[in-house]
Amino acid sequence: MRQAFVGGGAGTANVAVAKALKAEFPLFDRQPELAYLDNAATTQKPGAVLDAEADFYRFSCANVHRAIHALGEEATGRYEAARTRIAGFIGAAPRELVFTSGTTASINLVARTLGEEFAAGDEIVLSEMEHHANIVPWQMLAARRGFVLRYIPLADTGELDLAANERLLGPRTRLVAL
């Protein structure tokens, strides 16, 4: 998607792609000029997602993996079908996916589990442009466990300095969280 919006000299095509994408989100019907940039906190949902959620809550809402009645089995089937589809899309095994309430919960889960395995002197690499939800859990863990946080700087263009990133990665690097 980056190429569709940055560079390439296809300004008219970029505008057309942006308009087509915005058309998928009902919010922009009401506020067409809005540029919503707070996706790290709460992201807008396209109509297809809102429709799928409404369908689930109207017709299939039940406990997943805990209910032994027909509706619970249907909800579990839909949940596991989504897991299988997403796993196929990203090239993972369904058992490797963990669903959480959002990115912040996911980052905290990784920090509280995998991060506890890191030793004093191990390194975590972040970028200077991270949302605080991807900084604070690592800062807290680093303070508690004694490992080092390193930050990929920004280039003058506002992009990550990938050459600096290469220099930051070393034998003690345990995780890169972007």
Side-chain angles (χ1 to χ4, degrees), residues 130-164:
E130 290 308 307
H131 187 274
H132 73 275
N134 193 36
I135 296 173
V136 173
W138 304 116
Q139 288 174 327
M140 292 171 63
L141 191 61
R144 192 169 68 252
R145 304 281 298 168
F147 63 81
V148 178
L149 294 178
R150 297 168 131 326
Y151 296 90
I152 304 167
L154 299 180
D156 292 339
T157 61
E159 298 174 316
L160 289 178
D161 183 342
L162 297 180

Side-chain angles (χ1 to χ4, degrees), residues 18-167:
K19 284 185 178 183
L21 285 172
K22 278 185 103 170
E24 298 291 324
F25 294 80
L27 172 75
F28 298 118
D29 290 341
R30 190 173 67 107
Q31 295 181 281
E33 300 306 315
L34 178 67
Y36 187 86
L37 302 175
D38 195 18
N39 293 295
T42 299
T43 196
Q44 300 301 315
K45 281 114 182 121
V49 169
L50 296 171
D51 292 344
E53 287 178 344
D55 179 72
F56 174 79
Y57 285 115
R58 282 189 183 107
F59 305 112
S60 301
C61 187
N63 285 328
V64 172
H65 294 135
R66 292 185 292 170
I68 58 171
H69 50 79
L71 201 53
E73 290 176 9
E74 179 183 338
T76 298
R78 289 177 73 158
Y79 183 91
E80 290 302 330
R83 181 192 307 274
T84 299
R85 187 171 182 188
I86 293 166
F89 180 73
I90 65 172
R95 63 179 168 68
E96 296 174 316
L97 268 63
V98 176
F99 292 137
T100 67
S101 62
T103 303
T104 301
S106 296
I107 293 168
N108 280 282
L109 179 63
V110 171
R112 290 290 192 162
T113 55
L114 178 64
E116 291 294 336
E117 299 299 315
F118 301 151
D122 285 347
E123 300 170 352
I124 299 282
V125 176
L126 308 170
S127 80
E128 289 183 346
M129 69 169 96
E130 290 308 307
H131 187 274
H132 73 275
N134 193 36
I135 296 173
V136 173
W138 304 116
Q139 288 174 327
M140 292 171 63
L141 191 61
R144 192 169 68 252
R145 304 281 298 168
F147 63 81
V148 178
L149 294 178
R150 297 168 131 326
Y151 296 90
I152 304 167
L154 299 180
D156 292 339
T157 61
E159 298 174 316
L160 289 178
D161 183 342
L162 297 180
N165 176 55
E166 291 297 319
R167 292 188 300 275

